[in-house]
Amino acid sequence: MSLRQNCGLAAGQTGMAHVLRKSALRPLAVSVWQSKSNASVLPTVSQLTTLRTLCAPPALTSLREWHTKQHPWSFSKLQTAKRAFCETASSAAAAPDTRAKVVFLGTPEVAADVLFKLLKISQDSGSPFQIAAVVTQPGKVTISQKTGKVVSKPHPVQVLAREWLPPEVILFPEKASDEDFLATLEAMQPDVCLTAAYGKVLPKKFLKIPRCGTVNIHPSLLPKYRGAAPVQRALQAGDTEVGVSLLYTVREMDAGPVIAQETVTIDSGIQADALLFHLFAKGTQLFLDNLESILSKQAQEAAKEQDPAHVTHADKLEKNEGLLRWSRSATELHNQVISNLVFGNLCYSFNNIHFLHKSNIIHRNRLVFV
């Protein structure tokens, strides 16, 4: 089955909502974790206090909104998974957790998918790591239409982290160079930091804190497409092979030594959003596969420097790039449509504005929009 078919892009299926929400490329596998039946030791008062912090019942409205509207995950399965996570926390409260400390940094929905998978695996008794803290950007400040008051809307990573972790390990500094933030992070003594679409530059002081360094998941085959929009630029260029890189973070953007890469062959109909989730899922697995060598620092010795002669850049998309210009070829217009879902694609026809969500090339000079 092709990648395009996996994404739900078979003929006859239309609408961006179907592609974004029903995509089989998303990490849907939220399995029902089996709770341990041999938990016979009753928790102490201090352990119950810890559990009250870790497992406080969330506002059902927000949890349902996150896990049923923003994701195709089952609410009941997620509650089962959370109970299993809390049971693990209860058993771990009796003794210090000696597993490697991973600090996760991310902001948008695609980063929340990465975090969820890490939380899921970290609850396993045989997991070599724990999620010691989550760092994300501050919430987006907006004005409520109902009350007219200024409110802060949390990003997806913060919403998910609140449902799983105590508030003291969820950090959202204005700048990663904030002294209080760096002091808090240093006190945690992280073994490794993992970034996935965090969206802020990390200073030298930050990079010196984790014992085994900071690694990043970047959805391109570096050194190609460094920057903010690698997937979109690859689709615009008509690339048939894309990929994901796991690399060490240095001061220069996406320029660190590469630990591992994976190549993905794509069809011409794949949409940017679905492909982005797929590549970050691949990158998460690369991190898990290489975690042992990262913690032993063998990965630092084996990581390959990027070739400066092959560096290309992927600048952030601008709103005016959603405007379709009919002087371009059918292939160019098609690539623009599938790569530009951030702003939508606008065309002007008889003084009316139309939004285009999907296209198919039926001939090299003929294009069908839906």
Side-chain angles (χ1 to χ4, degrees):
M1 183 177 290
S2 70
L3 188 57
R4 180 183 178 188
Q5 290 172 325
N6 280 336
C7 280
L9 294 175
Q13 296 177 343
T14 62
M16 181 169 63
H18 175 85
V19 174
L20 297 188
R21 298 303 173 201
K22 302 297 184 182
S23 168
L25 287 180
R26 289 191 175 210
L28 309 180
V30 184
S31 58
V32 182
W33 301 332
Q34 300 296 325
S35 54
K36 299 178 181 178
S37 59
N38 57 355
S40 58
V41 181
L42 294 176
T44 64
V45 174
S46 62
Q47 291 170 353
L48 286 173
T49 303
T50 303
L51 279 176
R52 189 175 296 111
T53 303
L54 288 171
C55 307
L60 289 182
T61 303
S62 64
L63 188 58
R64 286 184 185 275
E65 179 180 1
W66 168 253
H67 291 292
T68 59
K69 291 184 179 180
Q70 295 198 21
H71 287 277
W73 301 335
S74 164
F75 177 76
S76 61
K77 288 183 179 180
L78 184 75
Q79 289 293 76
T80 304
K82 186 177 177 182
R83 283 194 295 271
F85 186 89
C86 292
E87 287 174 6
T88 303
S90 174
S91 61
D97 196 337
T98 59
R99 297 177 298 168
K101 296 179 180 179
V102 175
V103 172
F104 178 80
L105 297 89
T107 300
E109 188 178 359
V110 68
D113 275 8
V114 176
L115 176 60
F116 186 88
K117 185 172 184 180
L118 295 177
L119 286 168
K120 169 186 171 182
I121 295 175
S122 69
Q123 64 86 42
D124 189 350
S125 59
S127 172
F129 70 94
Q130 57 176 305
I131 300 299
V134 170
V135 183
T136 186
Q137 292 192 37
K140 184 178 181 181
V141 177
T142 60
I143 298 178
S144 173
Q145 295 181 351
K146 293 183 179 180
T147 63
K149 296 181 180 180
V150 177
V151 296
S152 178
K153 183 179 179 181
H155 292 289
V157 164
Q158 185 178 349
V159 174
L160 179 62
R162 282 175 174 175
E163 307 297 347
W164 291 79
L165 300 171
E168 59 267 21
V169 299
I170 304 172
L171 310 174
F172 35 92
E174 289 288 345
K175 294 182 179 180
S177 58
D178 182 83
E179 293 296 335
D180 291 338
F181 162 67
L182 292 174
T184 301
L185 184 67
E186 190 171 11
M188 293 179 177
Q189 298 181 334
D191 291 293
V192 62
C193 292
L194 173 66
T195 62
Y198 175 49
K200 285 186 177 291
V201 177
L202 301 178
K204 287 183 179 179
K205 288 185 178 180
F206 178 100
L207 298 177
K208 292 179 179 179
I209 292 176
R211 180 180 65 87
C212 301
T214 299
V215 297
N216 177 40
I217 298 173
H218 184 75
S220 83
L221 295 172
L222 292 169
K224 196 174 183 180
Y225 298 124
R226 291 181 182 177
V231 170
Q232 292 87 345
R233 298 304 179 189
L235 292 177
Q236 280 182 353
D239 291 359
T240 57
E241 278 193 349
V242 295
V244 61
S245 302
L246 182 70
L247 68 151
Y248 282 104
T249 302
V250 296
R251 285 289 295 153
E252 186 179 355
M253 181 180 290
D254 303 324
V258 175
I259 301 170
Q261 290 182 322
E262 184 167 345
T263 301
V264 176
T265 302
I266 59 174
D267 292 335
S268 61
I270 183 68
Q271 302 274 10
D273 188 85
L275 180 57
L276 191 65
F277 276 88
H278 180 60
L279 292 177
F280 269 97
K282 293 280 189 182
T284 306
Q285 192 58 50
L286 284 181
F287 172 74
L288 295 171
D289 292 342
N290 290 275
L291 181 57
E292 183 178 352
S293 64
I294 292 172
L295 294 174
S296 67
K297 298 188 178 181
Q298 291 179 357
Q300 292 184 3
E301 301 174 2
K304 297 180 180 179
E305 297 289 342
Q306 298 183 35
D307 186 351
H310 293 90
V311 171
T312 60
H313 296 277
D315 297 331
K316 185 179 179 180
L317 292 177
E318 300 294 338
K319 288 187 178 181
N320 60 6
E321 293 185 71
L323 179 63
L324 296 177
R325 304 186 185 280
W326 300 109
S327 59
R328 295 174 177 172
S329 69
T331 300
E332 289 175 320
L333 290 171
H334 171 74
N335 292 341
Q336 185 180 355
V337 170
I338 63 175
S339 67
N340 211 356
L341 292 177
V342 176
F343 304 115
N345 296 277
L346 302 178
C347 70
Y348 293 87
S349 176
F350 302 105
N351 297 322
N352 294 318
I353 300 177
H354 302 277
F355 286 86
L356 304 179
H357 298 150
K358 180 182 171 186
S359 67
N360 278 314
I361 295 181
I362 59 175
H363 186 270
R364 62 181 180 180
N365 291 320
R366 303 173 71 180
L367 193 64
V368 174
F369 292 106
V370 291

